[in-house]
Amino acid sequence: MSRAETPHQGRRTGRSALWTLGLFRSELTLTFRRWRTLALLAVLAAVPVLIGIAVKIETSDGSSIGSGGGGGEGPAFLTQITNNGLFLVFAALAATLPVFLPMAVGVVAGDSVAGEANAGTLRYLLVAPAGRTRLLLAKYTAAMAFCLVATLVVAASALVTGALLFPLGDVTTISGTQISFGEGMARAVLIAAVVAASLTGLAALGLFISTLTGSGIAAMAATVGLLITVQILDTIPQSHAIHPYLFPHYWLSFTDLLREPVYWDEVLKNLGLQGLYVAVFGSAAWARFSTKDITA
């Protein structure tokens, strides 16, 4: 009997796998074809261009970056851009990571489930044989893909702008040593990957919030509002005891990847903390979504 059922079970498993693959592909397509997503990516791409132009104008006037009241010390990485356009990649990621990148991720993740409920399409998605768990995984996969694409858009825009406006060459690390341009590019790719991974905890948090409401706008606002609140807490000295547990606390640790040798301690703490947030809030999102009464 079991042998007779094997072909049928195999076909069933094959159909299920194809449906799951189609679901993931559909979610990715839906996410990146929305005008809102394209607008967010356009804004992110514009930030490095504006930084590069601002640095170019300031240096062409004969003044040094940060000379206006900063004691001759400019913001991190900015003082190096005029010598090496590759530093615009690092400066742009440092500028967008605290605000622009996480806000964009918060919008996409917050709208993932609640947006479907608000549009009245969530119930029809669950009628298909995908199941709630696969649908939730597809939603989170699309959110993680956006984290990576958004980070790469910033890095690519910065690299092109830096190459057009400034010279390229060997990279001077934070430690004061020099590495080749090729190794500097490898460090830039690694930094972009770490920045993208830094946003996965926020994406899981946004997904969980998205399962709590049927309003996409409310979920997006709650995710972004919580992001701002946590970042404020991370700057208050009186709350220093909880700082290591706040998801943005180690975001800028990627700068340690520009040391020679690379300093991994805080980078690994950051990745571990993001993994913890993914596990906790991903499980919470699954627990909520798997038992939620879907009426829309």
Side-chain angles (χ1 to χ4, degrees):
M1 184 68 176
S2 60
R3 290 183 181 179
E5 290 176 351
T6 300
H8 175 68
Q9 291 175 346
R11 288 193 296 270
R12 204 164 145 194
T13 302
R15 286 196 298 269
S16 178
L18 287 174
W19 175 262
T20 301
L21 183 61
L23 177 64
F24 279 76
R25 187 185 300 114
S26 174
E27 283 299 325
L28 288 173
T29 302
L30 179 65
T31 298
F32 289 100
R33 287 183 63 181
R34 285 177 173 150
W35 285 108
R36 179 179 62 234
T37 303
L38 296 176
L40 289 171
L41 293 176
V43 170
L44 291 172
V47 173
V49 177
L50 294 176
I51 294 175
I53 292 175
V55 172
K56 187 69 174 179
I57 292 174
E58 185 168 356
T59 54
S60 65
D61 290 341
S63 57
S64 60
I65 302 298
S67 59
E73 296 181 0
F77 302 129
L78 286 181
T79 55
Q80 297 291 334
I81 294 177
T82 54
N83 299 322
N84 193 333
L86 184 59
F87 271 90
L88 184 56
V89 176
F90 312 134
L93 290 174
T96 55
L97 183 54
V99 180
F100 295 102
L101 275 171
M103 286 186 68
V105 170
V107 168
V108 171
D111 189 55
S112 55
V113 175
E116 298 282 6
N118 188 58
T121 56
L122 184 58
R123 181 169 53 183
Y124 297 103
L125 285 174
L126 295 177
V127 171
R132 298 192 180 201
T133 300
R134 290 179 185 175
L135 179 60
L136 197 65
L137 282 174
K139 293 289 185 184
Y140 186 62
T141 299
M144 287 197 300
F146 179 80
C147 293
L148 179 59
V149 171
T151 303
L152 292 178
V153 163
V154 173
S157 175
L159 181 60
V160 172
T161 304
L164 291 175
L165 297 180
F166 307 102
L168 298 176
D170 292 344
V171 176
T172 302
T173 67
I174 295 176
S175 305
T177 59
Q178 277 200 336
I179 57 177
S180 67
F181 177 74
E183 187 175 349
M185 281 291 296
R187 298 278 183 102
V189 172
L190 179 59
I191 285 173
V194 169
V195 170
S198 300
L199 298 168
T200 56
L202 174 62
L205 180 59
L207 183 70
F208 169 62
I209 293 175
S210 190
T211 64
L212 300 178
T213 177
S215 170
I217 295 178
M220 288 186 286
T223 303
V224 174
L226 185 60
L227 164 68
I228 295 172
T229 302
V230 171
Q231 287 182 314
I232 292 174
L233 280 175
D234 198 38
T235 63
I236 298 177
Q238 288 78 6
S239 61
H240 67 91
I242 65 171
H243 286 177
Y245 306 101
L246 301 177
F247 59 84
H249 184 67
Y250 297 108
W251 272 356
L252 294 180
S253 63
F254 74 82
T255 57
D256 289 336
L257 297 176
L258 276 177
R259 299 185 187 277
E260 187 63 34
V262 173
Y263 183 66
W264 288 100
D265 286 9
E266 291 203 347
V267 175
L268 294 178
K269 286 180 182 179
N270 176 39
L271 296 178
L273 184 62
Q274 302 311 318
L276 179 62
Y277 270 80
V278 170
V280 171
F281 287 101
S283 299
W286 175 81
R288 168 62 178 169
F289 190 60
S290 61
T291 58
K292 184 177 181 180
D293 184 20
I294 306 297
T295 59

